Amino acid sequence: MSTMGDGTRAVRAGLPEPEQYEPTLPGPVFAAHFHLSGEPVGPYTYGRDTNPTWTHLERAIGELEAPGEEVSTTVFASGMAAITAVLLSQVRTGDTVVLPDDGYQALPLVREQLTAFGVEVKTAPTGGDAQLALLEGAKLLWIESPSNPGLDVCDIRRLVAAAHEAGVLVAVDNTLATPIGQRPLELGADFSVASDTKGMTGHGDILLGHVTCRDPLLTADVRRWRKVVGAIPGPMEAWLAHRSLATLQLRIDRQCTTALALAEVLAGRAEVTRLRYPGLPADPSYGVAVRQMRRFGSVVSFELADRETAERFLAALRLVDDATSFGGVRSTAERRGRWGGDAVPEGFIRFSVGAEDPEDLLADVEQALDEAVGRAGGVSDGSARATLLP
């Protein structure tokens, strides 16, 4: 499937060989145990170890992560289960881990747990490849690019090359880009990790995560961890996730196109500051992003004057849900500072573009901005421009 387009690959990924009078995508297998006489040589023995529905989904994700290559994917009950499986299966007391200090909100909790286990944790920002300075003596480098919620981008190839030269494993959280936006394994990473709750499944109704590796020994470590802690997805969730992959390219292409259009509109609004979107040519990360990303994601971030302005903006939106998470077919936005875990100003907005008609969504954003700043109506004339983060 390596020569096929993304859309063809997405709709065919992980399907079993055709069998007369059987469905093209078999239904979920609900089983805690399987018929098992004699020696337990598998492939299916017990429901915490393996499940046919997982197998189809894992093959599908692997085909998207590294088309035409031999890789192994392990699916988990959530993105955090996948993240912790990599970290806790690889590091031991006395090891050093390098994390981003501007990554996903739960990473500080992971840092606390690692520290409690006697692991030294060093952190640096995603932008400017700042993690390079911390690699000496590390066991594992964790990259999140683009970062969530700030949307900074680092040079993954450069970081991977330096890490491997120093004997450091590299994991990339690819949640925001998805495999059709960026392929960490092709960029040299040892682990490609994602919360599939977001863009991969895309409907805001499944919690799921995955880890994909080329190295079978690393895969064995990750799968052993899943077995030990029991962080397994339900078969129904796995089946729904596989079904959702069929529309991955359609959804992501629509969302990315509209996200760029939204960023361009926001760039013309005086009340918008510190606008970020990696696909916007004026964005500070654009030069790096175009060298390693194939699509730039559905998320746009920006700041409004203060908490009150941001809340008025969110309340005035008619087609956008005030909700957390991102990557879904229905647009969402939130004042990210309400959670207290991200180092962002009170007026910081994370906006996840959905699959609505672009003109409808953009008009809704413009009217909400007008209301938020107390205008009588109308749209910006573009005479004042938003500022971008340096």
Side-chain angles (χ1 to χ4, degrees), residues 62-334:
E63 289 170 13
L64 296 172
E65 286 275 15
E69 297 187 41
E70 289 294 326
V71 298
S72 295
T73 295
T74 306
V75 292
F76 289 86
S78 69
M80 283 306 300
I83 289 170
T84 54
V86 172
L87 289 164
L88 297 177
S89 71
Q90 298 304 310
V91 302
R92 304 290 183 268
T93 299
D95 287 341
T96 299
V97 171
V98 179
L99 300 179
D101 65 9
D102 55 349
Y104 176 55
Q105 185 189 58
L107 280 183
L109 301 178
V110 175
R111 178 180 182 174
E112 289 177 11
Q113 192 62 61
L114 290 171
T115 301
F117 288 157
V119 176
E120 181 181 4
V121 180
K122 299 179 179 179
T123 63
T126 298
D129 302 339
Q131 291 173 295
L132 280 173
L134 305 179
L135 293 177
E136 184 176 353
K139 175 69 180 292
L140 187 143
L141 166 65
W142 190 272
I143 294 171
E144 188 177 303
S145 181
S147 63
N148 171 30
L151 303 184
D152 258 329
V153 172
C154 61
D155 188 332
I156 296 175
R157 289 188 185 90
R158 182 187 181 201
L159 285 164
V160 167
H164 285 172
E165 185 176 353
V168 181
L169 292 169
V170 181
V172 175
D173 185 332
N174 199 43
T175 300
L176 200 143
T178 80
I180 68 166
Q182 180 173 263
R183 294 177 184 153
L185 298 184
E186 290 185 358
L187 300 173
D190 301 291
F191 304 91
S192 180
V193 189
S195 169
D196 301 320
T197 308
K198 315 299 193 302
M200 281 286 276
T201 57
H203 292 79
D205 53 10
I206 301 170
L207 290 175
L208 200 79
H210 81 266
V211 179
T212 303
C213 309
R214 280 200 182 91
D215 187 333
L217 296 179
L218 295 179
T219 295
D221 289 341
V222 169
R223 292 202 168 185
R224 181 181 181 277
W225 184 262
R226 179 179 68 179
K227 177 178 180 177
V228 168
V229 301
I232 59 173
M236 190 66 194
E237 286 79 5
W239 184 84
L240 286 169
H242 196 168
R243 184 201 63 171
S244 298
L245 290 181
T247 60
L248 179 64
Q249 181 262 340
L250 294 172
R251 291 185 281 106
I252 298 297
D253 275 359
R254 175 64 167 260
Q255 290 167 307
C256 291
T257 299
T258 307
L260 177 58
L262 173 62
E264 291 171 341
V265 166
L266 293 173
R269 301 288 306 217
E271 59 270 63
V272 171
T273 61
R274 299 170 73 84
L275 170 67
R276 296 303 302 269
Y277 182 66
L280 191 67
D283 189 272
S285 291
Y286 179 77
V288 176
V290 295
R291 295 197 298 270
Q292 65 191 24
M293 299 185 73
R294 301 163 63 243
R295 294 169 176 86
F296 300 105
S298 63
V299 179
V300 178
S301 71
F302 57 96
E303 292 178 24
L304 297 176
D306 49 35
R307 173 176 179 165
E308 292 72 26
T309 305
E311 290 179 346
R312 286 197 300 272
F313 167 70
L314 294 169
L317 290 166
R318 299 164 184 161
L319 300 178
V320 182
D321 296 327
D322 189 344
T324 194
S325 198
F326 58 86
V329 291
R330 288 173 289 278
S331 292
T332 61
E334 69 172 337

